[in-house]
Structures are given as structure tokens and as C-alpha cells.
Amino acid sequence: LNCSEGLFHKALDEGLQTKSSRELLLMAGWTLMAAAEVGISDPFYDRDHARHSPEWRAEMREEFYKQYLEPHVAFVDDSEDLEMERVLGKYGLASCRFDLIPSVALERVDIHNELCRVKWKRDPGAWLRDGFLISSRVDSMHRHYWSIHARDYGEDHLAHGIWNLMA
């Protein structure tokens, strides 16, 4: 969580205008998703263990780490392709390893999207058509980081934060 917030602020310091700042935002989003995945005692999500048992969450956490530390993927070509690396950028992966996307984090964002659909009944897709001010996303990120640090359990601030970084 703190790593995500640090990357987010570093991107802001660069004015969100540079390639580096966009890469920092991508990493801020990924580290926030990783925090959602490995935070097994996180009360923001499933605090009563109605969806997933603590044992299952502990297993998921270990599997998540294992996917990165001991990858076993047959289709990945380990040969270097410097042109591909240049095009994809600093954090790009030629193999597009979708299995490395944190599944619990995506589930939390999915629940967030469903709740937003209910909340914004009249026109939940307006932001897709009309866009939004970047400053509103930045303000929202600040509020959700602060709420997580303040242990505000009123809503899933981690999922809101992931959504803001993905939008």
C-alpha cells in the first residue's frame, strides 16, 4: 500500500505528463492490486470471511507469490527482443501473462463496478462518454489512500483506489 502511494505521488511530482510518470502510475496500480491480493487480514474485504476462509486466502497469497518467484509457463520465450522491449516500455511483458493479474483484486474491482452501477442508476456509463477531470481522480486517490491509513471500514477503499488508477 505504501509503495503504491509513493509511486502515485512520484507520478504526480512529474506532472503526469511524461512517459516515466505514466509508468509510475501503472506500477502504482499494480502494487495496489498486489496489496489487495496479499492482505489476508484486510478488513475492507470479506471481513466476516463469508466469501473466502482465512485458510483459502492464505493459500491464495502463497500461490500469488509463487507465480512470480517460480514461474512455470511453457509458452514464454526467454530470448531477448530488444525492439519488443523498447515498444512495450519499462514494465511491458511480451508474453502478456494474464495469469499474473491478481484475481482477488479484480474481484474486488468487479464488486466496486457492480455497486457503482446500482449507485449511478441513471447513467453509470457517463464517465466513459463524457470523460472526467484528472484532478477528480487525483483527489479521489488521496481520499482513498487516507481512508485506508485511517482504517475507515465503511467501504472498500482499496478497490476504489484500484479503479481510480485503472480509469
Side-chain angles (χ1 to χ4, degrees):
L1 172 66
N2 291 333
C3 184
S4 173
E5 190 171 11
L7 291 165
F8 174 71
H9 285 287
K10 190 166 172 63
L12 289 180
D13 288 345
E14 292 186 17
L16 302 176
Q17 304 275 328
T18 64
K19 182 180 180 194
S20 172
S21 66
R22 289 188 295 273
E23 290 172 345
L24 289 167
L25 279 178
L26 284 172
M27 283 306 294
W30 186 89
T31 54
L32 199 56
M33 290 178 83
E37 190 77 14
V38 300
I40 59 174
S41 62
D42 185 1
F44 297 106
Y45 173 75
D46 196 21
R47 70 186 96 174
D48 299 320
H49 303 291
R51 296 180 67 82
H52 309 301
S53 71
E55 295 79 21
W56 182 86
R57 289 287 290 130
E59 286 175 30
M60 285 294 290
R61 178 183 183 167
E62 290 306 312
E63 276 301 310
F64 177 75
Y65 287 136
K66 189 175 174 184
Q67 284 179 316
Y68 285 89
L69 299 174
E70 302 168 17
H72 296 286
V73 180
F75 63 86
V76 175
D77 179 9
D78 283 338
S79 64
E80 285 192 54
D81 183 345
L82 298 179
E83 179 61 19
M84 181 66 80
E85 287 180 21
R86 186 191 65 73
V87 170
L88 291 176
K90 191 175 188 176
Y91 302 111
L93 293 173
S95 61
C96 296
R97 298 268 321 270
F98 293 107
D99 62 315
L100 297 179
I101 296 174
S103 59
V104 173
L106 287 179
E107 179 182 25
R108 291 170 75 166
V109 172
D110 186 43
I111 291 168
H112 169 272
N113 288 338
E114 290 176 24
L115 293 173
C116 285
R117 172 107 175 123
V118 171
K119 181 178 179 180
W120 306 105
K121 287 181 236 190
R122 288 185 49 198
D123 195 3
W127 70 274
L128 289 168
R129 277 190 321 280
D130 305 334
F132 48 76
L133 295 172
I134 295 297
S135 62
S136 67
R137 294 300 87 186
V138 171
D139 292 344
S140 181
M141 282 305 305
H142 283 291
R143 284 192 309 276
H144 290 299
Y145 279 129
W146 294 334
S147 296
I148 293 167
H149 288 301
R151 298 187 181 273
D152 173 4
Y153 304 139
E155 57 186 292
D156 191 348
H157 294 287
L158 208 64
H160 288 287
I162 294 167
W163 187 93
N164 278 307
L165 288 168
M166 292 175 80

